[in-house]
Amino acid sequence: LKRLLIIVLSSLDCMFLKVCASWRYSVNSMLLLFFSLAIPLLSASLIVPTDNIQVTPEDPNLQFQGRYRLSNEGAVQFDFSGFRINLGVNSASSVQLLLLCDGNDQPNRFNVYIDSILMDNVIDTKYAPIGEILKYNLATDLDGNDHILSIVKITEPDYNSPSPVVNSISFHGFMLDHGKSIPLPPLPTRKIEFLGDSITAGYCNMCKQPSDESDAYMKPTLVSESLNASYHAIGQFYMI
């Protein structure tokens, strides 16, 4: 009888453990199912939809500083270093730049300014396919207040080869996730035009390598800022 009682109790204990294990497996499965459904729903609820507002080159709030022309498609075409585009935004958190490379595959680089502060990111069109409009990130995580964004071309046109080729850039506007463009303070009325060689263009003015250059150290920039003037610059390697 005692042995029988031990066998019965052992059987009950095994059954209890199996039930507990089965219950634990079921609970874990239910929890896994719950979180697998809840997390995507929660993530979707946290995603803020974008309005995808395009600021076209014809927008009266944009400012252009430098030599350019309008293409048949309404884009702004330019090639000389120092060319600047200013944009004022309100209620935007991210801004993208729309550019198209018109000519060869020589890279074109741009400095980015936010509220007159030079950013670390440099826009580079290297490897960009010719004739295709691409989007480049200018700013992310803006706080929604008024901001002024600027891009400045820091590379020269490709006119010094034996057979000059076109490598101009076509500006097709900006893309905002929210908000709108806003008017900017007027540019200085005093204007200066610079004509020169690679020194004027700012070639290798960071003194590290030929591709390391910045409009912040270009002679036209330094002179114009000291005289409170805007400028046009025609600077080309071996021009003079």
Coordinates of all heavy atoms in Angstrom, one line a residue, residues 115-199:
D115 N 21.2 78.4 -40.3 CA 21.3 79.6 -39.5 C 22.7 80.1 -39.4 O 23.2 80.5 -38.3 CB 20.7 79.3 -38.1 CG 19.3 78.9 -38.1 OD1 18.5 79.4 -39.0 OD2 18.9 78.1 -37.3
S116 N 23.4 80.2 -40.6 CA 24.7 80.7 -40.7 C 25.8 79.9 -40.1 O 27.0 80.3 -40.0 CB 24.8 82.2 -40.2 OG 23.9 83.0 -40.9
I117 N 25.5 78.7 -39.6 CA 26.5 77.8 -39.0 C 26.9 76.7 -40.0 O 26.0 76.0 -40.5 CB 26.0 77.2 -37.7 CG1 25.7 78.3 -36.7 CG2 27.0 76.2 -37.1 CD1 25.0 77.8 -35.4
L118 N 28.1 76.6 -40.3 CA 28.6 75.6 -41.2 C 28.4 74.2 -40.6 O 28.9 73.9 -39.5 CB 30.1 75.8 -41.6 CG 30.7 74.8 -42.5 CD1 30.0 74.8 -43.9 CD2 32.2 75.2 -42.7
M119 N 27.8 73.3 -41.4 CA 27.5 72.0 -40.9 C 28.7 71.0 -41.3 O 29.5 71.3 -42.2 CB 26.2 71.4 -41.5 CG 24.9 72.2 -41.1 SD 24.5 72.0 -39.4 CE 25.1 73.6 -38.7
D120 N 28.7 69.9 -40.7 CA 29.8 68.9 -41.0 C 29.5 68.2 -42.3 O 30.4 67.7 -43.0 CB 29.9 67.9 -39.9 CG 30.4 68.5 -38.6 OD1 31.2 69.5 -38.7 OD2 30.1 68.0 -37.5
N121 N 28.2 68.0 -42.6 CA 27.9 67.2 -43.8 C 28.1 68.1 -45.1 O 27.8 69.3 -45.1 CB 26.4 66.8 -43.8 CG 25.4 67.9 -43.7 OD1 25.6 68.8 -42.8 ND2 24.4 67.9 -44.5
V122 N 28.7 67.4 -46.1 CA 29.0 68.1 -47.4 C 28.2 67.3 -48.4 O 28.3 66.1 -48.5 CB 30.5 68.0 -47.7 CG1 30.7 68.5 -49.1 CG2 31.3 68.8 -46.7
I123 N 27.4 68.0 -49.2 CA 26.7 67.4 -50.3 C 27.7 67.1 -51.5 O 28.4 67.9 -51.9 CB 25.6 68.3 -50.8 CG1 24.6 68.7 -49.7 CG2 24.8 67.6 -52.0 CD1 23.9 67.5 -49.1
D124 N 27.7 65.8 -51.9 CA 28.6 65.4 -52.9 C 27.8 64.6 -54.0 O 27.1 63.7 -53.7 CB 29.7 64.5 -52.3 CG 30.9 64.3 -53.3 OD1 30.7 64.4 -54.5 OD2 32.0 63.9 -52.8
T125 N 28.0 65.1 -55.3 CA 27.3 64.4 -56.4 C 28.1 63.3 -57.0 O 27.7 62.8 -58.1 CB 26.9 65.5 -57.5 OG1 28.1 66.0 -58.1 CG2 26.1 66.6 -56.8
K126 N 29.1 62.9 -56.4 CA 29.9 61.8 -57.0 C 29.1 60.6 -57.2 O 28.3 60.2 -56.3 CB 31.1 61.5 -56.0 CG 32.1 60.6 -56.6 CD 33.3 60.4 -55.7 CE 34.4 59.5 -56.3 NZ 35.6 59.4 -55.3
Y127 N 29.3 59.9 -58.3 CA 28.5 58.7 -58.7 C 27.1 59.0 -59.0 O 26.3 58.1 -59.3 CB 28.6 57.7 -57.6 CG 30.0 57.3 -57.2 CD1 30.4 57.3 -55.9 CD2 30.9 56.9 -58.2 CE1 31.7 57.0 -55.5 CE2 32.2 56.5 -57.8 CZ 32.6 56.6 -56.5 OH 33.9 56.3 -56.1
A128 N 26.7 60.3 -59.1 CA 25.3 60.6 -59.4 C 25.1 60.3 -60.9 O 25.9 60.8 -61.7 CB 24.9 62.0 -59.1
P129 N 24.1 59.6 -61.4 CA 23.8 59.4 -62.8 C 23.5 60.8 -63.5 O 22.7 61.6 -62.9 CB 22.7 58.4 -62.8 CG 22.0 58.6 -61.5 CD 23.1 59.0 -60.5
I130 N 24.0 60.9 -64.7 CA 23.7 62.2 -65.4 C 22.3 62.2 -65.9 O 21.7 61.2 -66.4 CB 24.7 62.3 -66.6 CG1 26.1 62.4 -66.1 CG2 24.3 63.5 -67.5 CD1 27.1 62.4 -67.2
G131 N 21.6 63.3 -65.7 CA 20.3 63.5 -66.2 C 19.2 63.0 -65.3 O 18.0 63.0 -65.7
E132 N 19.5 62.6 -64.0 CA 18.5 62.1 -63.1 C 18.4 63.0 -61.9 O 19.5 63.3 -61.3 CB 18.9 60.7 -62.7 CG 17.9 60.1 -61.7 CD 18.2 58.6 -61.4 OE1 19.0 58.0 -62.2 OE2 17.7 58.1 -60.4
I133 N 17.3 63.4 -61.5 CA 17.1 64.3 -60.3 C 17.2 63.4 -59.0 O 16.5 62.4 -58.9 CB 15.7 65.0 -60.3 CG1 15.6 65.9 -61.5 CG2 15.5 65.8 -59.0 CD1 14.2 66.5 -61.7
L134 N 18.1 63.8 -58.2 CA 18.4 63.0 -56.9 C 18.1 63.9 -55.7 O 18.2 65.1 -55.8 CB 19.8 62.5 -56.8 CG 20.3 61.5 -57.9 CD1 21.7 61.1 -57.7 CD2 19.3 60.3 -58.0
K135 N 17.7 63.3 -54.6 CA 17.4 64.0 -53.4 C 18.6 63.8 -52.4 O 19.1 62.7 -52.2 CB 16.2 63.4 -52.7 CG 14.9 63.6 -53.5 CD 13.7 63.0 -52.8 CE 12.4 63.2 -53.6 NZ 11.2 62.6 -52.9
Y136 N 19.0 64.9 -51.8 CA 20.1 65.0 -50.9 C 19.6 65.6 -49.6 O 19.0 66.6 -49.6 CB 21.3 65.8 -51.4 CG 21.9 65.3 -52.7 CD1 21.4 65.7 -53.9 CD2 22.9 64.4 -52.7 CE1 21.9 65.2 -55.1 CE2 23.5 63.9 -53.9 CZ 23.0 64.3 -55.1 OH 23.5 63.8 -56.3
N137 N 19.9 64.9 -48.5 CA 19.5 65.4 -47.2 C 20.3 66.6 -46.7 O 21.5 66.5 -46.6 CB 19.6 64.3 -46.1 CG 18.6 63.1 -46.3 OD1 17.5 63.3 -46.8 ND2 19.0 61.9 -46.0
L138 N 19.6 67.7 -46.5 CA 20.2 68.9 -46.0 C 20.1 69.0 -44.5 O 21.1 69.3 -43.8 CB 19.5 70.1 -46.6 CG 19.9 70.5 -48.0 CD1 19.3 71.9 -48.3 CD2 21.4 70.5 -48.2
A139 N 18.9 68.8 -43.9 CA 18.7 68.9 -42.5 C 17.7 67.9 -42.0 O 16.7 67.6 -42.7 CB 18.2 70.3 -42.2
T140 N 17.9 67.4 -40.8 CA 16.9 66.5 -40.2 C 16.7 67.0 -38.7 O 17.6 67.6 -38.1 CB 17.4 65.1 -40.2 OG1 18.6 65.0 -39.5 CG2 17.5 64.5 -41.6
D141 N 15.6 66.7 -38.1 CA 15.3 67.0 -36.7 C 15.3 68.5 -36.4 O 15.8 68.9 -35.3 CB 16.3 66.3 -35.8 CG 16.3 64.7 -36.0 OD1 15.1 64.2 -36.2 OD2 17.3 64.1 -35.9
L142 N 14.9 69.3 -37.4 CA 14.7 70.7 -37.1 C 13.6 70.8 -36.0 O 12.7 70.0 -36.0 CB 14.4 71.5 -38.3 CG 15.5 71.5 -39.4 CD1 15.0 72.3 -40.6 CD2 16.8 72.2 -38.8
D143 N 13.6 71.9 -35.3 CA 12.6 72.1 -34.2 C 11.3 72.7 -34.6 O 10.4 72.9 -33.8 CB 13.2 72.9 -33.0 CG 13.7 74.2 -33.4 OD1 13.4 74.7 -34.6 OD2 14.5 74.9 -32.7
G144 N 11.2 73.0 -35.9 CA 9.9 73.6 -36.3 C 9.8 75.1 -36.3 O 8.9 75.7 -36.8
N145 N 10.8 75.7 -35.7 CA 10.9 77.2 -35.7 C 11.4 77.7 -37.1 O 11.7 76.9 -38.0 CB 11.7 77.7 -34.6 CG 11.1 77.4 -33.2 OD1 9.9 77.4 -33.0 ND2 12.0 77.0 -32.3
D146 N 11.5 79.0 -37.2 CA 12.1 79.6 -38.4 C 13.6 79.3 -38.5 O 14.3 79.4 -37.5 CB 11.9 81.1 -38.4 CG 10.5 81.5 -38.5 OD1 9.6 80.6 -38.7 OD2 10.2 82.7 -38.4
H147 N 14.0 78.8 -39.7 CA 15.4 78.5 -39.9 C 15.8 79.0 -41.3 O 15.0 79.0 -42.2 CB 15.7 77.0 -39.7 CG 15.6 76.5 -38.3 ND1 16.5 76.8 -37.3 CD2 14.6 75.8 -37.8 CE1 16.1 76.2 -36.2 NE2 14.9 75.6 -36.4
I148 N 17.1 79.3 -41.5 CA 17.6 79.7 -42.8 C 18.6 78.6 -43.2 O 19.6 78.4 -42.4 CB 18.3 81.0 -42.8 CG1 17.2 82.1 -42.4 CG2 18.9 81.3 -44.1 CD1 17.8 83.5 -42.3
L149 N 18.4 78.0 -44.3 CA 19.3 76.9 -44.8 C 20.0 77.5 -46.1 O 19.3 78.1 -46.9 CB 18.6 75.6 -45.1 CG 18.2 74.8 -44.0 CD1 17.0 75.4 -43.3 CD2 17.8 73.4 -44.4
S150 N 21.3 77.2 -46.2 CA 22.0 77.6 -47.4 C 22.9 76.5 -47.9 O 23.4 75.7 -47.1 CB 22.9 78.9 -47.1 OG 22.1 79.9 -46.6
I151 N 23.1 76.4 -49.2 CA 24.1 75.6 -49.8 C 25.0 76.5 -50.7 O 24.5 77.4 -51.3 CB 23.4 74.5 -50.7 CG1 22.6 75.1 -51.9 CG2 22.5 73.6 -49.9 CD1 22.3 74.0 -53.0
V152 N 26.3 76.1 -50.7 CA 27.2 76.9 -51.5 C 28.1 75.9 -52.2 O 28.7 75.0 -51.6 CB 28.1 77.8 -50.5 CG1 29.0 78.6 -51.4 CG2 27.2 78.6 -49.6
K153 N 28.2 76.1 -53.5 CA 29.1 75.2 -54.3 C 30.5 75.5 -54.1 O 30.9 76.7 -54.1 CB 28.8 75.4 -55.8 CG 29.4 74.4 -56.7 CD 28.9 74.5 -58.2 CE 29.5 73.4 -59.1 NZ 30.9 73.6 -59.4
I154 N 31.3 74.5 -53.8 CA 32.7 74.7 -53.5 C 33.7 74.1 -54.5 O 34.9 74.0 -54.2 CB 33.0 74.1 -52.0 CG1 32.7 72.6 -52.0 CG2 32.2 74.9 -51.0 CD1 33.0 72.0 -50.6
T155 N 33.2 73.6 -55.6 CA 34.0 73.0 -56.6 C 33.9 73.8 -57.9 O 32.9 74.6 -58.1 CB 33.6 71.6 -56.9 OG1 32.2 71.5 -57.1 CG2 34.0 70.6 -55.8
E156 N 34.9 73.7 -58.7 CA 35.0 74.5 -60.0 C 34.3 73.8 -61.1 O 34.2 72.6 -61.1 CB 36.5 74.8 -60.3 CG 37.3 75.4 -59.2 CD 38.7 75.5 -59.6 OE1 39.1 76.0 -60.7 OE2 39.6 75.0 -58.8
P157 N 34.0 74.6 -62.2 CA 33.5 74.0 -63.4 C 34.7 73.3 -64.1 O 35.9 73.6 -63.9 CB 33.0 75.1 -64.2 CG 33.7 76.3 -63.7 CD 34.0 76.1 -62.3
D158 N 34.4 72.4 -65.1 CA 35.4 71.6 -65.8 C 35.7 72.3 -67.1 O 35.4 71.8 -68.2 CB 35.0 70.2 -66.0 CG 36.1 69.3 -66.4 OD1 37.2 69.7 -66.4 OD2 35.8 68.2 -66.9
Y159 N 36.4 73.5 -67.1 CA 36.6 74.2 -68.3 C 38.1 74.2 -68.6 O 38.5 74.8 -69.6 CB 36.2 75.7 -68.1 CG 34.7 75.9 -68.1 CD1 34.2 77.1 -67.5 CD2 33.9 75.0 -68.6 CE1 32.8 77.3 -67.4 CE2 32.5 75.2 -68.6 CZ 32.0 76.3 -68.0 OH 30.6 76.5 -67.9
N160 N 39.0 73.6 -67.9 CA 40.4 73.6 -68.1 C 41.0 72.4 -68.8 O 42.2 72.2 -68.9 CB 41.2 73.9 -66.8 CG 40.9 72.8 -65.8 OD1 39.8 72.1 -65.8 ND2 41.8 72.5 -64.8
S161 N 40.1 71.5 -69.2 CA 40.6 70.4 -70.0 C 40.8 70.7 -71.4 O 40.3 71.8 -71.9 CB 39.5 69.2 -69.9 OG 38.3 69.6 -70.4
P162 N 41.5 70.0 -72.2 CA 41.7 70.3 -73.6 C 40.4 70.5 -74.4 O 40.4 71.4 -75.3 CB 42.5 69.1 -74.2 CG 43.2 68.5 -73.0 CD 42.3 68.8 -71.8
S163 N 39.4 69.7 -74.1 CA 38.1 69.9 -74.7 C 37.1 70.2 -73.5 O 36.7 69.2 -72.9 CB 37.7 68.7 -75.5 OG 38.6 68.4 -76.5
P164 N 36.8 71.4 -73.3 CA 35.9 71.8 -72.2 C 34.6 71.0 -72.3 O 34.0 70.9 -73.4 CB 35.7 73.3 -72.3 CG 36.9 73.7 -73.0 CD 37.3 72.6 -74.0
V165 N 34.1 70.5 -71.1 CA 32.9 69.7 -71.1 C 32.0 70.4 -70.1 O 32.4 71.0 -69.2 CB 33.2 68.3 -70.8 CG1 33.9 67.6 -71.8 CG2 33.9 68.1 -69.4
V166 N 30.7 70.1 -70.3 CA 29.7 70.6 -69.4 C 29.6 69.8 -68.1 O 29.5 68.6 -68.2 CB 28.3 70.7 -70.1 CG1 27.2 71.1 -69.1 CG2 28.3 71.6 -71.3
N167 N 29.7 70.4 -67.0 CA 29.4 69.7 -65.8 C 28.6 70.6 -64.8 O 28.8 70.6 -63.6 CB 30.7 69.2 -65.1 CG 31.5 70.3 -64.4 OD1 31.6 71.4 -65.0 ND2 32.0 70.1 -63.2
S168 N 27.7 71.3 -65.4 CA 26.8 72.2 -64.6 C 25.8 71.4 -63.8 O 25.6 70.2 -64.0 CB 26.1 73.2 -65.5 OG 25.3 72.5 -66.4
I169 N 25.2 72.1 -62.8 CA 24.3 71.5 -61.9 C 22.9 72.2 -62.2 O 22.9 73.4 -62.3 CB 24.7 71.6 -60.5 CG1 25.9 70.8 -60.1 CG2 23.5 71.3 -59.5 CD1 25.6 69.3 -60.1
S170 N 21.9 71.4 -62.2 CA 20.5 72.0 -62.3 C 19.8 71.8 -60.9 O 19.7 70.7 -60.4 CB 19.7 71.3 -63.4 OG 20.2 71.6 -64.6
F171 N 19.4 72.9 -60.4 CA 18.7 72.9 -59.1 C 17.2 72.9 -59.4 O 16.6 73.7 -60.1 CB 19.0 74.2 -58.3 CG 18.1 74.5 -57.2 CD1 18.1 73.8 -56.0 CD2 17.2 75.6 -57.3 CE1 17.3 74.1 -55.0 CE2 16.4 75.9 -56.2 CZ 16.4 75.1 -55.1
H172 N 16.5 71.8 -58.8 CA 15.1 71.6 -59.1 C 14.3 71.9 -57.8 O 13.1 71.5 -57.8 CB 14.9 70.2 -59.6 CG 15.3 70.0 -61.0 ND1 14.4 70.0 -62.0 CD2 16.5 69.8 -61.6 CE1 15.0 69.9 -63.2 NE2 16.3 69.7 -62.9
G173 N 14.8 72.5 -56.8 CA 14.0 72.8 -55.6 C 14.4 72.1 -54.4 O 15.4 71.4 -54.3
F174 N 13.6 72.3 -53.4 CA 13.7 71.6 -52.1 C 12.5 70.8 -51.8 O 11.4 71.1 -52.3 CB 14.0 72.6 -50.9 CG 15.2 73.4 -51.0 CD1 15.2 74.7 -51.6 CD2 16.4 72.9 -50.6 CE1 16.4 75.4 -51.7 CE2 17.6 73.6 -50.7 CZ 17.6 74.9 -51.2
M175 N 12.6 69.8 -50.9 CA 11.5 69.0 -50.5 C 11.4 69.1 -48.9 O 12.4 68.8 -48.2 CB 11.6 67.6 -50.9 CG 10.4 66.7 -50.7 SD 9.0 67.2 -51.8 CE 9.6 66.6 -53.3
L176 N 10.2 69.6 -48.4 CA 10.0 69.7 -47.0 C 9.0 68.6 -46.5 O 8.1 68.3 -47.3 CB 9.4 71.1 -46.6 CG 10.0 72.3 -47.3 CD1 9.3 73.6 -46.8 CD2 11.5 72.4 -46.9
D177 N 9.3 68.1 -45.3 CA 8.3 67.1 -44.8 C 7.1 67.8 -44.3 O 6.0 67.2 -44.4 CB 9.0 66.2 -43.7 CG 9.4 67.0 -42.5 OD1 9.6 68.3 -42.7 OD2 9.5 66.5 -41.4
H178 N 7.2 69.0 -43.8 CA 6.1 69.8 -43.3 C 6.5 71.3 -43.5 O 7.6 71.6 -43.9 CB 5.9 69.5 -41.8 CG 5.6 68.1 -41.4 ND1 4.4 67.5 -41.8 CD2 6.3 67.2 -40.8 CE1 4.4 66.2 -41.4 NE2 5.6 66.0 -40.8
G179 N 5.5 72.1 -43.2 CA 5.7 73.5 -43.2 C 5.8 74.2 -44.5 O 5.1 73.8 -45.5
K180 N 6.5 75.3 -44.6 CA 6.5 76.1 -45.8 C 7.8 77.0 -45.9 O 8.6 77.1 -44.9 CB 5.3 77.1 -45.8 CG 5.3 78.0 -44.5 CD 4.1 78.9 -44.5 CE 4.2 79.8 -43.3 NZ 3.0 80.7 -43.2
S181 N 8.0 77.5 -47.0 CA 9.1 78.5 -47.2 C 8.7 79.8 -46.6 O 7.5 80.2 -46.7 CB 9.6 78.6 -48.6 OG 8.5 79.2 -49.4
I182 N 9.6 80.6 -46.2 CA 9.3 81.9 -45.6 C 10.2 83.0 -46.2 O 11.3 82.7 -46.7 CB 9.4 82.0 -44.1 CG1 10.8 81.5 -43.6 CG2 8.3 81.0 -43.5 CD1 11.0 81.6 -42.1
P183 N 9.8 84.3 -46.2 CA 10.7 85.3 -46.8 C 12.0 85.4 -45.9 O 12.0 85.2 -44.7 CB 9.8 86.6 -46.6 CG 8.4 86.1 -46.6 CD 8.5 84.8 -45.9
L184 N 13.1 85.9 -46.6 CA 14.4 86.0 -46.0 C 14.7 87.5 -45.9 O 14.2 88.3 -46.7 CB 15.4 85.3 -46.8 CG 15.3 83.8 -46.8 CD1 16.3 83.2 -47.9 CD2 15.6 83.2 -45.5
P185 N 15.6 87.9 -45.0 CA 16.1 89.2 -45.0 C 16.8 89.5 -46.4 O 17.4 88.7 -47.0 CB 17.2 89.2 -43.9 CG 16.8 88.1 -43.0 CD 16.2 87.1 -43.9
P186 N 16.7 90.7 -46.9 CA 17.2 91.0 -48.2 C 18.7 90.9 -48.2 O 19.4 91.1 -47.2 CB 16.7 92.5 -48.5 CG 16.5 93.0 -47.1 CD 16.0 91.9 -46.3
L187 N 19.2 90.5 -49.4 CA 20.7 90.5 -49.6 C 21.3 91.9 -49.6 O 20.5 92.9 -49.9 CB 21.0 89.8 -50.9 CG 20.7 88.3 -51.0 CD1 20.9 87.8 -52.5 CD2 21.5 87.5 -50.0
P188 N 22.5 92.1 -49.3 CA 23.1 93.4 -49.3 C 23.0 94.0 -50.7 O 23.1 93.4 -51.7 CB 24.6 93.1 -48.9 CG 24.6 91.8 -48.2 CD 23.5 91.0 -48.8
T189 N 22.8 95.3 -50.7 CA 22.7 96.0 -51.9 C 24.0 96.2 -52.6 O 24.1 96.3 -53.9 CB 22.0 97.4 -51.7 OG1 22.8 98.1 -50.7 CG2 20.6 97.2 -51.2
R190 N 25.1 96.2 -51.9 CA 26.4 96.3 -52.5 C 26.8 95.0 -53.1 O 26.7 94.0 -52.4 CB 27.4 96.8 -51.4 CG 28.8 97.0 -52.0 CD 29.9 97.3 -50.9 NE 29.6 98.7 -50.4 CZ 29.3 99.0 -49.2 NH1 29.1 98.0 -48.3 NH2 29.1 100.2 -48.8
K191 N 27.2 95.0 -54.3 CA 27.6 93.8 -55.0 C 29.0 93.9 -55.6 O 29.4 95.0 -56.1 CB 26.6 93.5 -56.2 CG 25.2 93.3 -55.7 CD 24.2 93.0 -56.9 CE 22.8 92.9 -56.4 NZ 21.8 92.6 -57.5
I192 N 29.7 92.8 -55.5 CA 31.1 92.7 -56.1 C 31.2 91.5 -57.0 O 30.7 90.5 -56.7 CB 32.1 92.6 -54.9 CG1 31.9 93.7 -53.9 CG2 33.5 92.6 -55.5 CD1 32.8 93.6 -52.7
E193 N 31.9 91.7 -58.1 CA 32.2 90.6 -59.0 C 33.6 90.3 -59.0 O 34.5 91.2 -59.2 CB 31.7 90.9 -60.4 CG 31.9 89.7 -61.4 CD 30.9 89.7 -62.5 OE1 30.2 90.6 -62.7 OE2 30.9 88.6 -63.2
F194 N 34.0 89.0 -58.8 CA 35.4 88.6 -58.8 C 35.7 87.8 -60.0 O 34.9 86.9 -60.4 CB 35.6 87.8 -57.5 CG 35.5 88.5 -56.2 CD1 34.3 88.7 -55.6 CD2 36.6 89.0 -55.6 CE1 34.1 89.4 -54.4 CE2 36.5 89.7 -54.4 CZ 35.3 89.9 -53.8
L195 N 36.8 88.1 -60.6 CA 37.3 87.3 -61.8 C 38.8 86.9 -61.5 O 39.6 87.7 -61.2 CB 37.3 88.2 -63.0 CG 37.8 87.6 -64.3 CD1 37.0 86.4 -64.7 CD2 37.9 88.6 -65.4
G196 N 39.0 85.6 -61.5 CA 40.3 85.1 -61.1 C 40.6 83.7 -61.4 O 39.8 83.0 -62.1
D197 N 41.6 83.1 -60.8 CA 42.0 81.8 -61.1 C 41.6 80.9 -59.9 O 40.6 81.1 -59.3 CB 43.6 81.7 -61.4 CG 44.4 82.3 -60.2 OD1 43.8 82.6 -59.1 OD2 45.6 82.5 -60.3
S198 N 42.4 79.8 -59.7 CA 42.0 78.8 -58.7 C 42.0 79.4 -57.3 O 41.3 79.0 -56.4 CB 43.0 77.6 -58.7 OG 44.3 78.0 -58.6
I199 N 42.9 80.5 -57.1 CA 42.9 81.1 -55.7 C 41.5 81.8 -55.5 O 40.9 81.7 -54.4 CB 44.0 82.2 -55.6 CG1 45.3 81.5 -55.8 CG2 43.9 83.0 -54.3 CD1 46.5 82.5 -55.8

